[in-house]
Amino acid sequence: MSSHGIDVLFTSLAESHPICGLKTTLHPLSLCGDLLLPFETFSFLALQSRVHGSSFAHRGELRHAKRIVVKLGSAVVTRGDECGLALGRLASIVEQVAVLQNQGREMMIVTSGAVAFGKQRLRHEILLSQSVRQALHSGNNQLKDVSVPVLEARACAAAGQSGLMALYEAMFTQYSTCTAQVLVTNLDFHDDEKRQNLNSTLQELLRMNIVPIINTNDAVVPPPEPDSDLQGVNIISIKDNDSLAARLAVEMKADLLITLSDVEGLYNNPPGTDDAKLIDTFYPGDQQSITYGTKSRVGIGGMEAKVKAALWALQGGTSVVIANGTNPKVTGHVITDIVEGKKVGTFFSEIKPAGPSVEEQAELAQSLGRVLSSLQPDQRRDIICRLAELLTERKEEILAANKMDMEMAVSAGVLPPAMLSRLSLTPAKLNGLSIGLRQIAMAAQDSIGRVLRRTMVANNLQLEQITVPIGVLLVIFEARPDCLPQVSALAIASGNAVLLKGGKEAANTNRVLHQLAQEALSVHGVREAVQMVSTREDVADLCRLDKMVDLIIPRGSSQLVRDIQRATKGIPVLGHSEGICHVYVDADASIDKVIKIVRDSKCDYPAACNAMETLLIHRSILKTPLFDQIIDMLRSEQVKIHAGPRFASYLTFSPSETRSLRTEFGELECCLEVVDSMQEAVDHIHKYGSSHTDVIITENQETAEGFLQQLDSACVFWNASSRFADGYRFGLGAEVGISTARIHARGPVGLEGLLSTKWILRGDGHTVADFSEQGVMEYIHENLPVGQRDRN
């Protein structure tokens, strides 16, 4: 060791370095004016060091971390055979550290791997020397089996340190990032002078935009001490890299310590056991609820050591995340994901949130959903009727909350008029909601347990298929508060628990409506069967809970639906990505019907997903009075027309040509295109539509029936506005959304779309062997009336 108590070895400081700009070769500790850094190259970065002393309370705050320590465990750095390094894995980690460093953050790495690297090197040398000696003494080419003696760890570390550092240097050089090696021992932290020297050296390295690569000096370190450390903030012995990383993070006032291991994070029980559950956020008071398993295949720590070190660092003001650094699916972005605040691994926090976590919400919903489904039909009907009553009894409270939301939205000036209309609630809207809820209540009488099919499989062996709830629903809706009571009522009627996430624009209205829904549910003790989710981050977390959430229903823009479809992990998504609805005006169309239907389809509510976006005109209608009336009507309604390619070709001066025939305008705009026949209209819709709702206007029944049968959309109408594609207008009471999928529900999804099925078989000691060639029974497979329950 040097007189300063540590060895600091700069890598590649001879000659000029692309980042460091060095012109001379420096002594390990000669941090003098010869080392100049072009600070102007990153003076634009906005990251500022925060006042150290308290850790971040929430994951979302991690994106503000300026100084970060990344600890790489032995299982992360080494190969599975423990001889040599996992080069691909290490390269992806280096890339992420370099990216964060180039963002203006101060990155430090605490690494294992010297022992494994040295073990590989020494094994090779021993095998080579033994082979040569055998060849010299045996006098023939037949060599005996060569055995490798047990290698002492400190010798391996001594042989591997230089190679490990050279590897880091080569990898970081690819990103024009300079590195320096720092070897420490326990004495360097317990001796005040040495600790100050270490701190000063690391501070200077960070100031010069250099990434320190830190490791215990395993070539001279004594054997691990007994568990006598971690007794307080000022006492922690350096007996493994977990404790080293924690001590270093606190000493350097780091904002964040990321500990990468070979497990996803901290579990309440040993990973792999039946009851093991990954803990998203760990609080100091939760220590007694953890059962630790065995240590990893390499290294001298273990999860218990990591947790102790993490809590010690947390107490010292450094936030900590323990995550998996070996999973090939996430290794390439695990560090950057953590810094972005994504839910990766286990986050250690001193502040416990007031409300439940999303996992706890989902578990509670799952439990109460089963209770809700077991209620009698009359009890579920009572809950929905009570909610309908509350909408009228408490309308002043609802409207007052909605007024606050509307004033804030108007003041912000962000929402277009159509969205403001959707956000607004009126006494008439509340009355309509109450009527729709009562319709749903009546349908709840015959939802769960309804027999769909009954079959006599054999004598005294009867099979039934019955309706059952799906389970737990996650419904996301944008600035449309009337969705909340509708979706709640449909979920209650179908026996499903539901987690709701409304748009922030309707926060006050949603809060009141949710309180009313829970008040109605309290009538039969299932208050938490309907819960609100607070943030977008919560939604992202729920999208990964495929063991708790059974169906996701996004209601809103096509972008919202696509975002949810990308975020979900194994959970079905029921919805439509776009609402590109067509109205085709046939050659045999009635003038009056055309004008009424086109106006209503486009102008009644332009922002709705069932509004017309493309108007298809039969070519024979061009240059006729009907065509002129259509154009005049659209202009009077201030609808902006975009010409399709073919329509534009007929005109000398045409409207602006549409950018795409697959456009969902959502405003008073539409595309107008020309076709030669009904068949061409069908082909056009199949190519450019979204399988939502499409309309034909014609007096020719044969043409209409061909359109209705050939077109593959969720809703296909003849001489009726596209705006009829709605659960309430279909008599479903309400809808949770409109689905364009071809599996499960399609079109407006009401009560029936929220039900699944299960099979019930009632027998009397039957076995499959009874029906074999040597058996005594035969299959009957006789379909029975669904109302009949005869077991004989």
Side-chain angles (χ1 to χ4, degrees), residues 638-763:
Q638 299 182 327
V639 177
K640 183 177 180 180
I641 300 173
H642 300 274
R646 190 171 178 189
F647 177 51
S649 69
Y650 285 105
L651 305 174
T652 305
F653 300 99
S654 69
S656 61
E657 191 166 339
T658 186
R659 297 186 307 274
S660 170
L661 291 170
R662 291 191 179 94
T663 302
E664 182 180 17
F665 298 99
E667 300 179 71
L668 284 172
E669 299 181 52
C670 73
C671 172
L672 196 156
E673 184 57 305
V674 176
V675 293
D676 285 335
S677 64
M678 178 272 289
Q679 187 60 55
E680 192 172 309
V682 169
D683 293 341
H684 178 101
I685 295 170
H686 282 159
K687 184 174 182 178
Y688 299 109
S690 61
S691 302
H692 191 294
T693 301
D694 299 291
V695 176
I696 183 172
I697 307 175
T698 184
E699 297 304 300
N700 187 313
Q701 182 174 355
E702 183 179 351
T703 300
E705 289 299 333
F707 185 90
L708 297 176
Q709 297 302 318
Q710 291 183 46
L711 193 60
D712 183 22
S713 295
C715 301
V716 188
F717 300 161
W718 173 21
N719 287 347
S721 168
S722 62
R723 293 280 290 122
F724 278 105
D726 175 82
Y728 175 76
R729 298 181 183 113
F730 278 12
L732 306 179
E735 66 183 38
V736 293
I738 294 180
S739 171
T740 55
R742 287 168 174 78
I743 298 176
H744 188 56
R746 199 171 189 216
V749 180
L751 178 58
E752 292 292 327
L754 298 181
L755 294 170
S756 183
T757 65
K758 73 176 179 182
W759 296 90
I760 295 175
L761 186 64
R762 296 182 173 89

Side-chain angles (χ1 to χ4, degrees), residues 440 485-495 732 734-736 749-751 754:
I440 296 171
Q486 290 176 334
V487 171
S488 298
L490 287 168
I492 294 164
S494 57
L732 306 179
E735 66 183 38
V736 293
V749 180
L751 178 58
L754 298 181

